[in-house]
Amino acid sequence: KMATPVYTPFVFLLLLFQSRVWGFPVRQTPQESPTCGYKSCHATKPGMLNVHLVPHTHDDVGWLKTVDQYFYGDRNDIQHAGVQYILDSVVDQLLKNPDRRFIYVETAFFYRWWKQQTDDMQNTVKQLVNEGKAREGDEATTHYSAVIDQMTMGLRFLNDTFGHCGRPRVAWHIDPFGHAREHASMFAQARVIRAHSNLNPAPSPPGILPNGYNPPEGFCWDQSCDDPPIRDDPDLEDYNVDDVVTRFLSIAHALVYKTNHIIMTMGSDFQYENANLWYKNLDKLIRYVNQNQSNGSGVNVLYSTPSCYLQELHRANLTWPLKGDDFFPYADSDHDFWTGYFTSRPALKRYERISNSYLQCSVLWLVEKAVAVAQHHDAVSGTEKQHVANDYARRLANGWAHCQVLVSNTLSSLSGSSAPRVYCEHLNVSVCPLTETSKKFSVNVYNPLARPVSWPVRLPVNGTAYSISDANGKAVDSQVVPVSQATAAVRRGRGYAVNELLFQVQAPPLGYSTYSVSLLQNGPPSPHFVTLRDFLSSLLCVCFPRYNASDGNNSESIQMSGAYIFRPNTSTPFIISKTAKTETLQNSVVQEVRQWFSPWVSQVVRLYTDSRALELEWTVGPVPIGDDLGKEVISRLDSSINSSGVFYTDSNGREVLQRRKDYRPTWNLRQSEPIAGNYYPINSRAYIKDDKDQLTVVTDRSQGGGSIQDGSLEIMLHRRLLYDDVRGVGEPLNETSDIYPEGLVVRGRLLLSLSPPATAADTHRPLAQEVVLQPLITFTDGELHPSTRLEFSGLQAVLPPAVHMLTVSQWDQDSVLLRLEHQYQASESKEPSQPVTVNLQKLFSTLDVLGVSEMNLSANQWKDEMTRLDWKAESGEKHLPKRGGDPSVWEVNLKPMEIRTFLLRVRQR
Ligand SMILES: *[C@@H]1O[C@H](CO)[C@@H](O)[C@H](O)[C@H]1NC(C)=O
Ligand SMILES: *[C@@H]1O[C@H](CO)[C@@H](O)[C@H](O)[C@H]1NC(C)=O
Ligand SMILES: *[C@@H]1O[C@H](CO)[C@@H](O)[C@H](O)[C@H]1NC(C)=O
Ligand SMILES: *[C@@H]1O[C@H](CO)[C@@H](O)[C@H](O)[C@H]1NC(C)=O
Ligand SMILES: *[C@@H]1O[C@H](CO)[C@@H](O)[C@H](O)[C@H]1NC(C)=O
Ligand SMILES: *[C@@H]1O[C@H](CO)[C@@H](O)[C@H](O)[C@H]1NC(C)=O
Ligand SMILES: *[C@@H]1O[C@H](CO)[C@@H](O)[C@H](O)[C@H]1NC(C)=O
Ligand SMILES: *[C@@H]1O[C@H](CO)[C@@H](O)[C@H](O)[C@H]1NC(C)=O
């Protein structure tokens, strides 16, 4: 019996490119000069069916247990898993036989293990490692900037530790819950063929192995398995070599692939803790199966790795299909769509997103590490156990606490003011002790974007009128409005402010601006209530329906909704309330409609005077469960747009993919779940459009959503479920917290824009970016010293609108890692979709750029040293568009959607 029968979600995908990403250590004979990569592959036999055995383990970086519990093998009562022993044992076994191979990808674990080894052991492992390793991430709910940061960190560790032999060349992503196109794109350097190996014959979708990432049935020799070992002494009883070879040959012959090479994954979750069991039997399997070649079996078995397998596919010199769509939504059965995890644990998803944004303010490694761990597919996806989710949140909080010190120091040094800096992390629920009590304080707005931003600020205050001045001493318009009932309810006694102070701030690119606030008078609030016609009603209806979750009591399938799976019990959502209790207000800064749909669902519809987008601030929870039904709450926007069954979602926050109801671009779909089967991941935006209008929704975290009716767009906001969905986590998704013990309350925002399709990207691209990399607001109490520098920009000039500075981080003493991104697709917009040129020497205001070298996307290889296998695509099109060349060393050209990575040698001005 396999140890992991319930948890084998997988699609196997090999990305066809040579130069980058996840790989594995391969054994090599010590003392020899290192032979890296393909040179270390075992020879194959051209006339035979070559079976590539790939020994591997799949070690979740936190799922049922926390990262550290997994590492040490603690709490084996929850799940038997001890990663430190796996690495100890595998290294020991690799040393015993140079033919053996192993792939290991979870860098977070490997890093922990490496630190604990002696110099001797580290040197031994360096001999063994030939291609490095990297960890996997969730593909559906992750934002590309976090994915790139994470890749960079992991691969830098590998390069620093193992040199160029530690550079992985293939992607090994065995356990995400679907595959994103943007991931393939990022792995392939953001501008390469997005092909994948056609591992399986039609009609099944390509790239799927018959038994997940597990070994074939009957061939699991881990200590957690019960399959018979190979008993090869004919003098003893139970001799079974003939039986094993016969079974193996029949399994191998049953697999039909495009080439005479097949891959078998020999391992599974947390296996190889006692690697001797596996290797002893694999050695024998290879020996006995290959002996049969003399009898004309025609099968050759070898130890291999994904890159050796890939090399053989390349040698076959065939043409391969190009895939332009992605692998969402994933389903493992007719009624079992993995579309719930797009939304599961919405508070953690938001926290992860904000942490990633803060990370851009800092290069502090501790924060980077916490965010990278939270990118694991069971973390961002929300499909881990509750205690593991708490552990992730704690790690992010620790990282952020350290980051705050760094941000404070940086701001003190730039502004010349050492006044203590205060952070208010609960402004989302109008809690900030400093602004509630202080009569005079200053607000520092740091903008991590390379263009100026204008941003509405909303601070809890107890006064009724304030005077505000900007960095130039100019008065800023502000308004005071009463705190809403919904906000007073969610903050749960954590603050007492009766009002909120609203004003618009402007911050320069990659810099800050400081606003001074003083209390003018105390008196009764003057909220300017007006009876405003609901300015939405003419445009669209914003409703809050919910789905009753399936409890498995159903004639078609017993599958219930859970952390992974979304399965409503009917296709008609239940409208929580047809009417809302409404309060409206309007002043010079904002117009607001506050709506209460029920005691646990409320919304504020806001339009700031300076804004291009309508804001929907939703507050949902505690989701009632008194009726013993799980519930999944959505926000539905109905419009008159004639969307004809089509809508669009982003892929990891970057490119946009078209989605069509009950349809998949590359295979024939028989739709079995009318709602869940039409849900897709939304990382940052989704839209519907017709000839005249485009309605775009920008989200503040990853969520799931769909367009079930024409003209309608629905986004799932929160879910609370009472049953486990039997994918291994063993808990219902029934979140509570210290503040909300009776059920988690979550608040978030959707930003809506309505514009003609031709110019829509000009609004939603920058909008989405401002939500992901939102300004960081900090406070200091009292009057600022007159010598304080109130405004600062790290840039010499604003960059063109198409250019996003994706990364600026200190690399070492005198160099800075810079990523420039063209953030528009080719024909998405007019002017911004054109190629642009940026001068690297004219970028920074405080740094002289002395030298530049271009690197690959993950910054572990120099661009001019990159080599990549060349693949022939079926469509015959040339897949590498040629760049027009840079005007000079300093002036670099960016094509639509291109990301370029540079290491700059710099000197402080
Ligand atoms: C070896 O190969 C021959 C011919 O293919 C086959 O008949 C025989 O059963 C094989 N031996 C074993 C042990 O499977
Ligand atoms: C090959 O076939 C012969 C005769 O059938 C048999 O005696 C021998 O054991 C076989 N060899 C293997 C390796 O199966
Ligand atoms: C690959 O196939 C093409 C024809 O499709 C042929 O011209 C070429 O020589 C082949 N290359 C190799 C290395 O066999
Ligand atoms: C805040 O303002 C309210 C209403 O004006 C007042 O009742 C309360 O005492 C104030 N609280 C503090 C701590 O100033
Ligand atoms: C969902 O459950 C509620 C009870 O909470 C019930 O009133 C409603 O009819 C149900 N709706 C559907 C569509 O099953
Ligand atoms: C869900 O959580 C609530 C609050 O902690 C608890 O009372 C209830 O028993 C839980 N239900 C399930 C099915 O776990
Ligand atoms: C408010 O923000 C904090 C910090 O990011 C987060 O932990 C909390 O869940 C948010 N509150 C709500 C109600 O969403
Ligand atoms: C990789 O590491 C080596 C040795 O530490 C260093 O010299 C080299 O510059 C690194 N390569 C890259 C691309 O960072």
Side-chain angles (χ1 to χ4, degrees):
K1 271 276 180 65
M2 292 286 304
T4 54
V6 288
Y7 181 66
T8 50
F10 81 98
V11 176
F12 183 88
L13 179 81
L14 272 179
L15 297 154
L16 298 189
F17 51 86
Q18 178 193 354
S19 59
R20 320 200 23 259
V21 203
W22 318 152
F24 19 76
V26 178
R27 158 79 178 156
Q28 65 188 77
T29 322
Q31 277 99 44
E32 272 183 18
S33 70
T35 49
C36 291
Y38 299 124
K39 283 185 224 122
S40 66
C41 296
H42 286 303
T44 58
K45 300 203 170 170
M48 297 192 186
L49 178 63
N50 291 280
V51 182
H52 295 247
L53 300 182
V54 178
H56 80 105
T57 179
H58 170 254
D59 301 345
D60 294 287
V61 187
W63 176 44
L64 305 182
K65 307 202 285 189
T66 66
V67 191
D68 293 343
Q69 288 169 349
Y70 273 127
F71 179 72
Y72 283 114
D74 193 13
R75 294 302 310 271
N76 275 354
D77 55 317
I78 299 177
Q79 183 188 12
H80 188 103
V83 172
Q84 57 168 342
Y85 306 124
I86 296 176
L87 289 163
D88 290 343
S89 181
V90 165
V91 166
D92 199 40
Q93 287 301 314
L94 291 177
L95 290 169
K96 291 204 162 110
N97 176 354
D99 290 340
R100 292 173 176 172
R101 299 286 186 271
F102 191 70
I103 91 166
Y104 196 78
V105 297
E106 286 88 5
T107 314
F109 286 134
F110 185 80
Y111 175 73
R112 283 172 164 75
W113 183 83
W114 179 258
K115 279 195 312 191
Q116 299 182 357
Q117 303 309 305
T118 61
D119 288 353
D120 266 5
M121 187 44 128
Q122 291 191 346
N123 285 328
T124 306
V125 174
K126 281 185 189 171
Q127 292 293 320
L128 290 173
V129 169
N130 151 314
E131 288 188 7
K133 50 209 94 45
R135 48 185 304 280
E136 61 187 52
D138 170 45
E139 295 197 16
T141 63
T142 42
H143 193 266
Y144 73 99
S145 59
V147 175
I148 292 172
D149 288 343
Q150 180 204 333
M151 282 204 299
T152 305
M153 184 175 67
L155 294 175
R156 186 170 190 195
F157 163 66
L158 293 178
N159 181 55
D160 288 351
T161 312
F162 299 114
H164 84 282
C165 282
R167 185 187 306 140
R169 286 162 305 145
V170 298
W172 174 256
H173 244 202
I174 55 172
D175 187 26
F177 318 143
H179 280 292
R181 188 175 81 165
E182 194 55 36
H183 262 73
S185 174
M186 282 185 279
F187 291 162
Q189 200 78 280
R191 55 188 189 83
V192 178
I193 184 168
R194 283 188 282 265
H196 60 100
S197 55
N198 194 356
L199 292 168
N200 235 21
S204 41
I208 293 183
L209 291 178
N211 193 20
Y213 50 74
N214 302 297
E217 207 145 321
F219 292 86
C220 183
W221 288 305
D222 193 66
Q223 65 179 15
S224 62
C225 303
D226 299 331
D227 292 341
I230 298 185
R231 296 172 302 235
D232 53 346
D233 185 343
D235 294 340
L236 298 183
E237 265 183 63
D238 302 332
Y239 175 83
N240 69 348
V241 171
D242 293 348
D243 169 60
V244 170
V245 173
T246 308
R247 280 191 292 120
F248 188 83
L249 290 178
S250 83
I251 289 171
H253 282 303
L255 296 171
V256 184
Y257 292 92
K258 201 163 165 164
T259 66
N260 63 344
H261 293 270
I262 61 179
I263 189 166
M264 280 187 192
T265 46
M266 306 307 276
S268 192
D269 297 5
F270 296 99
Q271 292 195 358
Y272 287 79
E273 195 173 307
N274 184 353
N276 180 44
L277 275 64
W278 259 117
Y279 281 114
K280 194 163 197 167
N281 285 286
L282 287 174
D283 284 352
K284 290 181 185 179
L285 181 75
I286 292 171
R287 182 158 79 242
Y288 293 120
V289 173
N290 287 350
Q291 270 180 15
N292 199 289
Q293 286 167 8
S294 56
N295 279 7
S297 68
V299 173
N300 181 47
V301 196
L302 60 148
Y303 278 117
S304 189
T305 64
S307 77
C308 292
Y309 171 66
L310 188 74
Q311 171 178 246
E312 296 297 342
L313 297 187
H314 183 250
R315 281 185 180 155
N317 196 20
L318 302 175
T319 58
W320 301 90
L322 272 175
K323 188 167 168 63
D325 59 332
D326 61 4
F327 289 96
F328 291 117
Y330 171 71
D332 56 10
S333 197
D334 280 2
H335 300 284
D336 309 27
F337 277 86
W338 293 51
T339 50
Y341 83 92
F342 299 158
T343 298
S344 295
R345 300 195 188 278
L348 183 65
K349 281 190 165 71
R350 174 66 188 151
Y351 199 40
E352 187 276 332
R353 183 66 53 87
I354 301 179
S355 302
N356 180 49
S357 156
Y358 291 157
L359 178 61
Q360 312 303 321
C361 310
S362 136
V363 289
L364 204 74
W365 224 59
L366 193 71
V367 184
E368 289 189 331
K369 276 194 290 185
V371 173
V373 168
Q375 293 297 312
H376 178 71
H377 63 81
D378 287 315
V380 192
S381 64
T383 54
E384 67 283 69
K385 276 189 185 290
Q386 184 64 51
H387 79 105
V388 178
N390 297 343
D391 182 60
Y392 283 132
R394 194 180 48 75
R395 278 169 198 280
L396 288 173
N398 281 347
W400 174 224
H402 284 82
C403 191
Q404 283 184 357
V405 175
L406 193 116
V407 171
S408 299
N409 289 345
T410 310
L411 289 178
S412 294
S413 136
L414 288 172
S415 67
S417 156
S418 55
R421 206 157 283 279
V422 174
Y423 295 77
C424 286
E425 282 169 66
H426 296 282
L427 286 176
N428 57 343
V429 289
S430 234
V431 174
C432 177
L434 187 142
T435 61
E436 280 159 26
T437 48
S438 178
K439 291 187 166 62
K440 206 174 217 358
F441 58 93
S442 69
V443 182
N444 182 294
V445 185
Y446 171 80
N447 167 25
L449 294 173
R451 58 183 170 79
V453 295
S454 175
W455 185 261
V457 170
R458 223 179 159 81
L459 306 174
V461 291
N462 215 33
T464 51
Y466 290 80
S467 89
I468 300 178
S469 58
D470 68 12
N472 302 319
K474 237 178 72 204
V476 175
D477 185 22
S478 70
Q479 293 286 342
V480 173
V481 302
V483 162
S484 74
Q485 276 174 34
T487 296
V490 277
R491 72 184 180 197
R492 296 273 161 107
R494 281 177 296 172
Y496 58 81
V498 291
N499 293 324
E500 285 175 331
L501 172 65
L502 311 184
F503 58 103
Q504 196 79 18
V505 293
Q506 262 92 34
L510 218 64
Y512 67 78
S513 198
T514 313
Y515 290 77
S516 305
V517 179
S518 347
L519 179 70
L520 279 183
Q521 59 173 74
N522 261 322
S526 47
H528 308 279
F529 277 105
V530 293
T531 40
L532 186 76
R533 238 175 60 84
D534 186 350
F535 56 82
L536 281 175
S537 59
S538 57
L539 174 63
L540 39 85
C541 148
V542 185
C543 326
F544 273 90
R546 64 172 171 83
Y547 292 106
N548 290 342
S550 174
D551 55 6
N553 191 2
N554 181 294
S555 60
E556 283 171 44
S557 152
I558 57 162
Q559 180 62 53
M560 33 245 172
S561 245
Y564 302 83
I565 308 269
F566 168 37
R567 183 157 186 251
N569 74 351
T570 77
S571 301
T572 332
F574 174 79
I575 304 284
I576 290 169
S577 173
K578 293 221 164 55
T579 54
K581 218 170 85 191
T582 305
E583 191 177 281
T584 56
L585 63 87
Q586 182 178 32
N587 57 41
S588 58
V589 177
V590 74
Q591 328 181 38
E592 225 171 78
V593 182
R594 299 170 172 186
Q595 304 167 306
W596 289 264
F597 294 91
S598 87
W600 57 280
V601 178
S602 65
Q603 172 170 261
V604 182
V605 181
R606 271 192 199 116
L607 188 64
Y608 287 99
T609 306
D610 290 353
S611 175
R612 295 156 292 184
L614 190 71
E615 173 179 317
L616 304 182
E617 184 188 68
W618 51 270
T619 306
V620 177
V623 177
I625 48 172
D627 56 3
D628 287 332
L629 274 176
K631 292 173 191 65
E632 333 212 34
V633 182
I634 61 174
S635 173
R636 199 177 72 201
L637 314 167
D638 295 338
S639 76
S640 57
I641 292 174
N642 182 14
S643 58
S644 316
V646 172
F647 84 117
Y648 300 80
T649 62
D650 67 288
S651 182
N652 300 121
R654 225 163 103 75
E655 287 185 62
V656 171
L657 292 177
Q658 191 192 67
R659 313 293 191 182
R660 188 183 292 272
K661 196 180 166 206
D662 298 330
Y663 174 83
R664 306 286 185 266
T666 42
W667 49 285
N668 290 329
L669 173 70
R670 185 175 42 84
Q671 185 59 276
S672 44
E673 279 287 318
I675 310 294
N678 281 310
Y679 259 53
Y680 290 89
I682 299 169
N683 276 278
S684 74
R685 59 193 170 275
Y687 56 80
I688 50 176
K689 63 176 183 179
D690 59 18
D691 294 344
K692 291 197 303 295
D693 296 308
Q694 173 168 327
L695 173 66
T696 310
V697 180
V698 170
T699 64
D700 64 349
R701 71 198 74 198
S702 291
Q703 290 168 320
S707 174
I708 308 297
Q709 308 292 337
D710 282 358
S712 165
L713 203 52
E714 66 183 57
I715 314 261
M716 188 179 289
L717 305 176
H718 194 9
R719 43 205 316 263
R720 185 177 195 185
L721 302 161
L722 304 181
Y723 296 94
D724 175 45
D725 54 2
V726 215
R727 291 304 181 280
V729 72
E731 278 180 5
L733 186 70
N734 179 18
E735 288 182 284
T736 57
S737 72
D738 291 348
I739 295 158
Y740 309 112
E742 77 286 26
L744 189 67
V745 182
V746 188
R747 171 173 280 187
R749 293 182 310 149
L750 300 173
L751 298 180
L752 262 57
S753 77
L754 188 70
S755 31
T759 57
D762 302 352
T763 309
H764 72 73
R765 288 266 173 206
L767 207 56
Q769 203 181 52
E770 282 164 33
V771 172
V772 171
L773 288 178
Q774 64 177 40
L776 173 67
I777 296 175
T778 57
F779 303 91
T780 48
D781 199 10
E783 186 109 43
L784 285 171
H785 191 273
S787 69
T788 308
R789 185 173 184 180
L790 297 178
E791 197 158 59
F792 168 83
S793 172
L795 289 193
Q796 280 185 36
V798 177
L799 291 179
V803 181
H804 173 41
M805 208 178 258
L806 180 60
T807 307
V808 195
S809 74
Q810 180 115 32
W811 187 255
D812 53 33
Q813 271 304 317
D814 53 4
S815 51
V816 164
L817 185 70
L818 171 75
R819 283 196 189 87
L820 295 175
E821 174 186 7
H822 191 303
Q823 52 170 345
Y824 284 81
Q825 284 176 230
S827 48
E828 186 175 55
S829 177
K830 259 185 151 150
E831 183 58 25
S833 281
Q834 300 304 312
V836 287
T837 300
V838 176
N839 188 320
L840 300 177
Q841 279 188 311
K842 294 188 182 147
L843 279 180
F844 301 107
S845 62
T846 58
L847 299 174
D848 282 324
V849 177
L850 309 173
V852 56
S853 301
E854 184 159 12
M855 300 178 102
N856 66 348
L857 181 67
S858 48
N860 65 330
Q861 201 177 12
W862 305 111
K863 187 68 172 272
D864 53 14
E865 288 174 3
M866 276 175 65
T867 51
R868 184 182 285 131
L869 297 180
D870 197 18
W871 298 86
K872 291 190 292 187
E874 262 166 16
S875 61
E877 71 194 39
K878 200 65 198 150
H879 53 260
L880 280 178
K882 288 273 172 287
R883 169 203 314 290
D886 292 327
S888 75
V889 168
W890 302 115
E891 288 179 284
V892 300
N893 192 266
L894 291 166
K895 293 197 312 299
M897 277 288 119
E898 187 175 33
I899 300 175
R900 294 181 69 180
T901 307
F902 302 94
L903 197 59
L904 305 180
R905 201 150 49 78
V906 296
R907 188 178 53 201
Q908 289 283 337
R909 284 241 166 98

